Amino acid sequence: MTSNMQNGTADAAAEASNIPALVGINFGNSFASIAVFTKDGLAECIANEDGERQIACALSFFGEEMYIGSPAKAQLVKNAKNTIVGFRNLLGKKFSDIPQSQSTTSAPVIQHPELSDEPAYKVEILQPAPAPLPKSTSGTPAASSAPTPRSEPIPAERILTVSEVTTIFLKSLLQSAEDFLGKKVQGAVITVPSIFTDAQKDALEKAAADAGIVVYQLLEEPAAVAATTTTEAWSPTLAVDRTQLVVDVGSSSLSLSLLALRDGLAHILASSSSAGIGGDAIDSKLTTFFANEFTKKTKTPLTVCSEKPSIADARAEAKLRLAVEHTKRTISASPGAATCSVESLKDGVDFTSSINRLRFDMLVRPIYDSIARSVADLLDSAKVDPHHVDEIVYVGGTTCLPGLDEHLCLTAGFNEDINTPFSMGTVIGGGIGDPTTVLARGCALQAALIASLTEQDAELKKAFERNSELTEVKTTSKILGLVFPDESGNELGGTWIPLVPAETVLPARRTATFDIGLSEQSKRFAFELWEVSEGIE
Amino acid sequence: MASIQTNILPKSYTLPGPSKASISGPSTRRLLPVGPAFVSHLRLTLQHGHSFDVHDAHAEKERQKLEEQQNSAANGDDDLGVGDEPESAELLALDPKEWKKHDYYAVLGLSHLRYKATPEQIKIAHRKKVLKHHPDKKVTSAEPQSTSSLLTGINLNTNDDAFFKCIAKAHEVLTHPEKRRQYDSVDHELMEHQEDDPSPTDFAKSKKTLSDKEFFSTFTPIFEREARFSKKQVMPMLGDIDASKEHVEGFYDSWYNFESWRSFEWLDKEVNEGSDNRDDKRYTEKKNKSERARRKKEDIARVRQFVDLTLSLDPRIKRIKQQEKEAREAKKAAKSAPASGAATPQMTKAQEEEEKRKKEEAEKAAKADAKKAKAAAANAAKKARRAARAEEAPAA
């Protein structure tokens, strides 16, 4: 801030001051993103100081330095034991609740030495050595004015609780947003996964408060999606009443929600969550593929994804995993082949290879299949026919893969003309349907909405609190519509015009305009109000 | 919303009997607390008692409020009464090359203010016009003028920025104090009005006379107009029929001593362009200088003539003369009468003076006494000090 003022950019700040400084934070387990509210009805995902819009949730300590984001992730290769990843899901959990089975190369979760049943991380750091001359209490000046050189920093151990790690990370996100906006952030909305318990939400709220963030609301991921998809900008052509399937493929888990959007109001019809399906699984497939390729090309043995890897193998795998991240992004963005290159992958041998879309899709087909199966299961359990789903919304970097969209549309039994961000062409070039920024943008819009409520609307603000009773509503259970009797000779004896779909939140209002056909002889018309349940035979 | 076409009702259609089925009961769901629609829903259920009419009225009110806010934000807080003037086609078709002949106030939409426009108002008016007429905005809106298929897609309105240039010129002149003074001196509107001014010949030839009302309605605006050129600001105005003698005299006094800042540089002839001839230049300059002097002289004469004319026609002068005459006659009449009652007031005056003198004398005396007493006290103190010193000396 101060450096900005010195450089004389006061003008820009004054101009920006009309727009309230509100941010939306998508806080995932592996990646986070920040969006700021720019103009009325528009939110924009911003890049942090490293130029990353997808900020890796990683924290690494090396010597006296602390790295956050992608530089921290790069430390997984050489400094894995001092690198903390995947901490979000541990928020608010007790140490005894955390399964200890999975072996990780990153900093292991340990029992906090002082607090009981508290998960923590232990990292090795270098502490700056204490000042060589202890300050005398009498105020006697030091013997010499020449600075005494400090001694070498002392190696030390630092114990960080999950909550502290989260606070450090959120603080860095806040800092990025404030650097972008050029002023203090007024308030924020943060996403939470639907699987979070109340205790976990409390822990997140506390960590955010410690980081200095004013949290307006913790928004569940499907709700953050709905905040984006119910805007005018999202769907100028789509119907206001539609059923929307949200496919959120994270790095380690898949969560699906079926939303009923009724004139801007959204509620969940069904949701499911399955662990183990996601970006990490794709990474494993790719890593194995490239490792085999490497072995074939260079005759250097490399085994990855094994239980007990050698140090050289583990390091090579970490390098390869960082590299395939880039390969995945290239595959998503361009139809051509994507390269994967790692310098000195193992034993000082470089590796370069490429993979095309077809090969890639074949490789990760099992993961596509399991996603499609989960979708089918969800629709089954909700008793919703795939044909009644009007729109699919994708969330998460993995869903940028066009192959996944194709596979899902073909195999899950949806209508051919189902709307997806790909069919609407809003994925490319950071469009409005960009799966990586949807959540953060929804949060920023929501923050703007809450900030716009005045003091008079105190009772409305209560509805945004967790588990507010005001969110409980009555909905219609069947479709209401009109029958205009005519000689078409079908079952109902007329033309059926559905007006109010099932699951519409009450009170509801729908408007329809009719051109009434009148015969010359009898100038009369009639219609009947019907309630029907629709199904496909 | 597109309307739905319905078919004709069949002739055989009969109304069905009342339905025995009842509408199926609602199910309970939990809304996701997101989006403006959720806030609307809350308002509808909590504040508006489930009535869509109340809700719509509220929404309309909010919309209007927002619109007003946006309007006020768009126009700035206050445009200082600049307003929006309609722009005639002629105005928009001005040729920037003929800039000397333009009416700059009209170009900036300030015709209603003219020389009274403040620098702030000029600034605001200029900004408004620039926003409206910037060439960047025109390119997209203008249609190609040629119907030739060969030229479609090529922007033929190359003269698009003509009016913008005029605006820039007007702004340049009106924001430069010296240039503005020169321009105001020969303001279009002023020149037009001056041609309509009554001249002495009008009255001399036709022996035309004016009623009191006509006199004031004709001459008041002219003096108001001319007052702008006065070096001495706040010139007295013509006033009305009942104006006092002092006012009328002051008025003519001021206007006969009228000093004008009006100058005529604006009407100078340009030195021939491209002419490097020094003599040519000097000749034109000389000509211009003499022309300016001539115009100035003419202008001074014009004002003077005009004041003469006013004086000759002013109905109040007659009235004042009449009053003076009456006063003189009254005085004469008073003089001739015996001065008997004048003694008493003189007596009292003499008495007053005597009293005053006495008072002053008394005060003087009192002051002198006080002085003496002070001097005595000081003397005593001095003596005491001297004695004390004398005592101390042997001890030392």
Side-chain angles (χ1 to χ4, degrees):
Chain A
M1 292 282 291
T2 46
S3 67
N4 274 350
M5 305 245 291
Q6 278 162 3
N7 290 334
T9 52
D11 276 0
E15 199 178 19
S17 68
N18 303 332
I19 305 158
L22 300 165
V23 298
I25 298 173
N26 166 32
F27 183 33
N29 194 36
S30 311
F31 286 95
S33 50
I34 328 162
V36 296
F37 184 69
T38 51
K39 265 185 274 174
D40 199 20
L42 276 181
E44 193 188 348
C45 184
I46 62 167
N48 72 351
E49 53 279 4
D50 299 324
E52 292 279 337
R53 285 195 163 71
Q54 291 292 97
I55 303 156
C57 293
L59 206 62
S60 182
F61 294 85
F62 183 73
E64 287 179 89
E65 299 289 323
M66 180 172 72
Y67 301 93
I68 298 170
S70 26
K73 223 182 165 196
Q75 296 270 330
L76 275 173
V77 178
K78 281 193 164 177
N79 188 24
K81 64 180 194 306
N82 287 328
T83 304
I84 302 167
V85 291
F87 50 88
R88 190 211 55 184
N89 283 355
L90 306 183
L91 256 181
K93 278 192 179 166
K94 290 197 174 359
F95 181 70
S96 49
D97 298 340
I98 300 167
Q100 295 294 306
S101 56
Q102 72 250 64
S103 67
T104 52
T105 51
S106 61
V109 185
I110 56 154
Q111 159 69 39
H112 196 281
E114 282 139 38
L115 306 169
S116 68
D117 216 9
E118 174 83 20
Y121 295 99
K122 186 167 78 179
V123 289
E124 285 167 9
I125 57 161
L126 290 177
Q127 252 176 5
L133 283 178
K135 267 200 185 128
S136 63
T137 43
S138 59
T140 321
S144 160
S145 61
T148 314
R150 278 170 175 256
S151 12
E152 288 292 302
I154 310 158
E157 276 180 353
R158 191 170 167 190
I159 305 285
L160 288 153
T161 63
V162 172
S163 174
E164 278 166 355
V165 172
T166 310
T167 302
I168 293 170
F169 184 74
L170 288 178
K171 208 181 255 176
S172 84
L173 295 184
L174 184 72
Q175 188 59 45
S176 300
E178 284 181 353
D179 287 349
F180 176 85
L181 293 164
K183 55 184 170 174
K184 258 194 113 40
V185 165
Q186 199 179 320
V189 169
I190 306 178
T191 55
V192 284
S194 325
I195 49 165
F196 257 34
T197 59
D198 274 351
Q200 286 185 293
K201 287 178 186 171
D202 285 341
L204 177 57
E205 246 170 9
K206 190 184 161 290
D210 288 345
I213 301 174
V214 181
V215 182
Y216 284 159
Q217 190 185 12
L218 290 182
L219 207 53
E220 292 194 355
E221 277 156 6
V225 172
T228 318
T229 56
T230 51
T231 54
E232 189 70 21
W234 177 274
S235 55
T237 52
L238 298 179
V240 290
D241 299 320
R242 60 187 191 271
T243 308
Q244 192 175 55
L245 177 70
V246 179
V247 180
D248 181 350
V249 186
S251 63
S252 54
S253 70
L254 163 77
S255 50
L256 301 167
S257 346
L258 193 62
L259 302 184
L261 301 191
R262 298 287 180 262
D263 200 13
L265 292 169
H267 55 94
I268 299 177
L269 295 174
S271 63
S272 75
S273 172
S274 32
I277 306 170
D280 284 348
I282 292 178
D283 281 357
S284 297
K285 291 269 179 212
L286 267 182
T287 314
T288 318
F289 172 78
F290 282 127
N292 290 340
E293 195 100 318
F294 177 73
T295 315
K296 225 189 292 174
K297 271 187 181 171
T298 64
K299 312 277 183 274
T300 312
L302 171 62
T303 34
V304 292
C305 306
S306 65
E307 279 300 306
K308 287 254 182 266
S310 67
I311 295 172
D313 276 352
R315 204 171 263 187
E317 185 184 338
K319 275 187 182 175
L320 209 46
R321 273 189 187 272
L322 287 178
V324 297
E325 177 70 39
H326 190 256
T327 312
K328 278 200 299 181
R329 289 191 193 186
T330 316
I331 282 277
S332 307
S334 70
T339 57
C340 172
S341 46
V342 185
E343 269 183 26
S344 176
L345 181 59
K346 197 186 172 189
D347 298 346
V349 183
D350 294 353
F351 171 65
T352 306
S353 179
S354 67
I355 186 167
N356 63 13
R357 261 194 191 171
L358 192 68
R359 186 38 105 44
F360 180 88
D361 286 341
M362 271 167 62
L363 199 64
V364 297
R365 171 66 54 84
I367 294 141
Y368 289 171
D369 277 336
S370 51
I371 293 174
R373 217 173 307 119
S374 301
V375 169
D377 288 349
L378 175 79
L379 294 178
D380 252 8
S381 69
K383 296 186 183 67
V384 173
D385 194 278
H387 287 96
H388 286 157
V389 179
D390 305 299
E391 192 191 5
I392 304 179
V393 180
Y394 292 116
V395 180
T398 306
T399 55
C400 291
L401 293 166
L404 173 64
D405 176 61
E406 270 168 39
H407 187 84
L408 213 53
C409 289
L410 286 175
T411 55
F414 296 117
N415 277 338
E416 271 173 29
D417 57 347
I418 189 164
N419 287 300
T420 72
F422 289 94
S423 75
M424 291 191 284
T426 52
V427 179
I428 308 142
I432 193 154
D434 187 352
T436 58
T437 61
V438 146
L439 293 176
R441 280 182 287 129
C443 286
L445 291 176
Q446 181 71 0
L449 179 76
I450 297 177
S452 71
L453 293 177
T454 51
E455 295 80 42
Q456 310 151 18
D457 299 323
E459 58 172 343
L460 301 190
K461 268 189 179 165
K462 274 193 199 127
F464 292 99
E465 285 166 13
R466 208 187 303 158
N467 301 328
S468 168
E469 281 173 16
L470 293 169
T471 57
E472 217 157 83
V473 286
K474 299 273 183 223
T475 60
T476 58
S477 26
K478 284 176 183 172
I479 308 167
L480 295 173
L482 302 177
V483 169
F484 283 87
D486 55 22
E487 278 148 343
S488 60
N490 63 19
E491 243 183 292
L492 292 168
T495 311
W496 160 244
I497 292 157
L499 284 183
V500 182
E503 300 292 350
T504 300
V505 178
L506 298 171
R509 172 173 59 175
R510 295 292 183 274
T511 324
T513 328
F514 294 99
D515 259 352
I516 299 296
L518 288 177
S519 63
E520 281 304 310
Q521 299 91 356
S522 64
K523 289 193 188 299
R524 56 172 200 159
F525 75 95
F527 60 82
E528 297 163 10
L529 179 66
W530 282 65
E531 184 190 57
V532 302
S533 45
E534 213 169 40
I536 294 166
E537 286 171 8
Chain B
M1 195 181 204
S3 66
I4 302 161
Q5 179 72 45
T6 63
N7 292 329
I8 296 163
L9 196 69
K11 260 182 229 161
S12 57
Y13 181 75
T14 50
L15 280 176
S19 168
K20 284 185 188 66
S22 63
I23 199 160
S24 54
S27 38
T28 307
R29 298 284 183 180
R30 204 165 251 285
L31 270 185
L32 295 176
V34 286
F38 178 64
V39 175
S40 304
H41 172 80
L42 288 176
R43 279 191 207 285
L44 179 64
T45 49
L46 294 174
Q47 294 177 344
H48 304 142
H50 291 75
S51 159
F52 275 108
D53 288 341
V54 179
H55 186 69
D56 286 348
H58 174 83
E60 177 64 17
K61 229 195 297 172
E62 289 280 300
R63 199 186 56 76
Q64 277 174 1
K65 221 172 150 189
L66 199 73
E67 210 166 67
E68 267 168 34
Q69 268 176 7
Q70 277 171 350
N71 281 343
S72 66
N75 292 342
D77 298 328
D78 183 13
D79 66 353
L80 301 172
V82 172
D84 285 321
E85 278 185 1
E87 291 159 343
S88 65
E90 295 150 41
L91 187 68
L92 292 175
L94 285 179
D95 183 358
K97 284 181 194 139
E98 303 273 295
W99 58 273
K100 273 240 165 175
K101 291 174 189 162
H102 292 174
D103 181 349
Y104 299 136
Y105 290 112
V107 169
L108 289 188
L110 289 166
S111 339
H112 61 296
L113 291 165
R114 300 208 82 88
Y115 67 96
K116 287 175 191 150
T118 61
E120 283 79 32
Q121 284 170 328
I122 290 170
K123 203 172 151 192
I124 289 167
H126 174 246
R127 181 168 294 169
K128 273 189 179 180
K129 289 283 170 185
V130 165
L131 284 176
K132 199 170 160 193
H133 293 286
H134 198 277
D136 286 359
K137 285 191 178 171
K138 293 249 156 152
V139 175
T140 49
S141 62
E143 292 162 18
Q145 284 168 343
S146 166
T147 49
S148 158
S149 61
L150 288 170
L151 293 171
T152 45
I154 300 167
N155 185 20
L156 295 170
N157 299 333
T158 44
N159 210 23
D160 254 357
D161 56 348
F163 190 61
F164 184 71
K165 281 180 186 158
C166 297
I167 293 168
K169 191 72 202 172
H171 181 247
E172 183 199 322
V173 170
L174 294 185
T175 48
H176 191 287
E178 178 60 26
K179 282 185 188 164
R180 187 177 178 196
R181 197 176 58 81
Q182 290 176 5
Y183 174 71
D184 279 347
S185 298
V186 294
D187 192 337
H188 289 76
E189 182 217 29
L190 179 78
M191 301 299 250
E192 276 164 31
H193 280 292
Q194 274 178 0
E195 278 167 21
D196 305 337
D197 281 354
S199 66
T201 45
D202 291 349
F203 295 94
K205 271 184 193 163
S206 58
K207 297 275 168 202
K208 198 166 96 181
T209 49
L210 290 170
S211 74
D212 289 356
K213 220 177 182 180
E214 274 174 335
F215 171 80
F216 285 106
S217 65
T218 324
F219 287 90
T220 308
I222 295 173
F223 278 104
E224 273 169 8
R225 204 187 62 211
E226 295 291 333
R228 77 173 80 164
F229 294 121
S230 173
K231 279 183 182 163
K232 190 181 99 189
Q233 262 317 308
V234 196
M235 286 295 283
M237 284 297 126
L238 193 55
D240 53 17
I241 187 80
D242 300 320
S244 66
K245 185 184 157 195
E246 286 77 32
H247 178 90
V248 175
E249 279 174 351
F251 171 77
Y252 285 108
D253 205 34
S254 300
W255 279 97
Y256 273 120
N257 295 318
F258 182 66
E259 266 186 282
S260 161
W261 51 256
R262 197 174 184 190
S263 64
F264 295 91
E265 287 96 336
W266 198 259
L267 303 176
D268 280 358
K269 282 210 175 63
E270 294 285 322
V271 179
N272 272 345
E273 236 178 278
S275 149
D276 288 334
N277 196 334
R278 198 192 294 157
D279 293 336
D280 237 18
K281 224 181 246 176
R282 281 189 190 153
Y283 175 72
T284 322
E285 268 167 23
K286 205 174 150 195
K287 270 270 206 162
N288 278 338
K289 207 176 164 190
S290 61
E291 189 72 356
R292 269 181 239 156
R294 185 185 63 77
R295 286 212 167 94
K296 180 83 185 166
K297 214 169 149 189
E298 262 179 18
D299 187 54
I300 292 167
R302 183 186 60 83
V303 174
R304 202 171 176 82
Q305 225 173 25
F306 186 69
V307 180
D308 278 341
L309 176 68
T310 319
L311 184 64
S312 68
L313 292 171
D314 198 336
R316 294 172 303 184
I317 298 294
K318 275 179 215 151
R319 189 198 73 202
I320 289 163
K321 274 186 182 155
Q322 183 69 29
Q323 279 172 353
E324 275 174 355
K325 205 175 165 190
E326 275 167 16
R328 258 201 314 276
E329 273 165 15
K331 227 177 184 179
K332 227 184 252 170
K335 250 184 196 171
S336 57
S340 56
T344 20
Q346 269 175 10
M347 274 296 280
T348 49
K349 221 175 190 177
Q351 272 174 352
E352 261 175 30
E353 266 170 24
E354 194 136 325
E355 263 171 41
K356 212 175 170 186
R357 197 160 44 80
K358 270 183 192 167
K359 225 184 195 173
E360 273 169 16
E361 269 173 14
E363 269 172 23
K364 241 183 227 167
K367 259 186 202 163
D369 284 351
K371 232 181 199 169
K372 264 179 206 164
K374 227 181 187 174
N379 268 345
K382 230 184 235 170
K383 261 181 202 163
R385 244 178 284 148
R386 228 176 263 152
R389 233 176 284 156
E391 265 170 42
E392 259 174 50

